[in-house]
Amino acid sequence: MKLGAFSVSLSVKDINKSKSFYENLGFKVLGGDITQNWLIMKNESSVIGLFQGMFEDNILTFNPGWNQNAENLDSFTDIRDLQKQLKSKGLNLLSEADETTEGPASLTMKDPDGNLILIDQHR
């Protein structure tokens, strides 16, 4: 099962302080908009998202259709196909992609320890 690019989405209290902290660890801004309280940062193949005031807990994020540089892949597994595979394995989804649509969609689930997982297809 190919889930796409992986990142950790961090819920931060002060995006400016968090940006500075992660820059000191060698991360550089890859995308986002600090004026809207969100940034995507990268250090080698590690990607993190910093989000202030958007959600409570940290989230494991997968992006079908993207590589680790947020570049479109020529070939990828659509989120609706991933959703069918996950459901066939008996996994409980908290939210689902509309299987009658195409393009951008998302789904969420939790792992056995309550960690939120977001699969978020942007194209």
Side-chain angles (χ1 to χ4, degrees), residues 98-111:
D98 182 346
E99 293 184 8
T100 65
T101 64
E102 294 180 357
S106 64
L107 65 83
T108 58
M109 64 183 138
K110 287 191 175 182
D111 75 8

Side-chain angles (χ1 to χ4, degrees), residues 8-108:
V8 177
S9 298
L10 301 174
S11 175
V12 301
K13 295 176 184 172
D14 183 323
I15 195 157
N16 291 298
K17 284 183 181 177
S18 294
K19 176 182 180 279
S20 294
F21 176 83
Y22 284 101
E23 284 174 333
N24 286 331
L25 291 178
F27 282 83
K28 296 189 183 324
V29 174
L30 178 67
D33 185 341
I34 199 163
T35 65
Q36 294 178 356
N37 291 327
W38 71 281
L39 288 175
I40 306 301
M41 301 186 76
K42 184 173 182 186
N43 179 334
E44 295 186 17
S45 63
S46 299
V47 179
I48 59 172
L50 305 178
F51 298 89
Q52 181 181 324
M54 295 185 182
F55 46 84
E56 288 184 31
D57 296 321
N58 299 329
I59 303 171
L60 303 172
T61 304
F62 297 92
N63 299 110
W66 277 2
N67 66 20
Q68 285 301 107
N69 292 317
E71 299 166 332
N72 289 341
L73 297 172
D74 291 333
S75 176
F76 67 96
T77 305
D78 186 83
I79 191 168
R80 291 147 197 88
D81 294 327
L82 291 171
Q83 180 170 285
K84 289 175 188 171
Q85 292 176 44
L86 295 169
K87 289 168 99 174
S88 75
K89 295 177 183 285
L91 294 172
N92 181 40
L93 304 181
L94 299 174
S95 66
E96 298 185 17
D98 182 346
E99 293 184 8
T100 65
T101 64
E102 294 180 357
S106 64
L107 65 83
T108 58

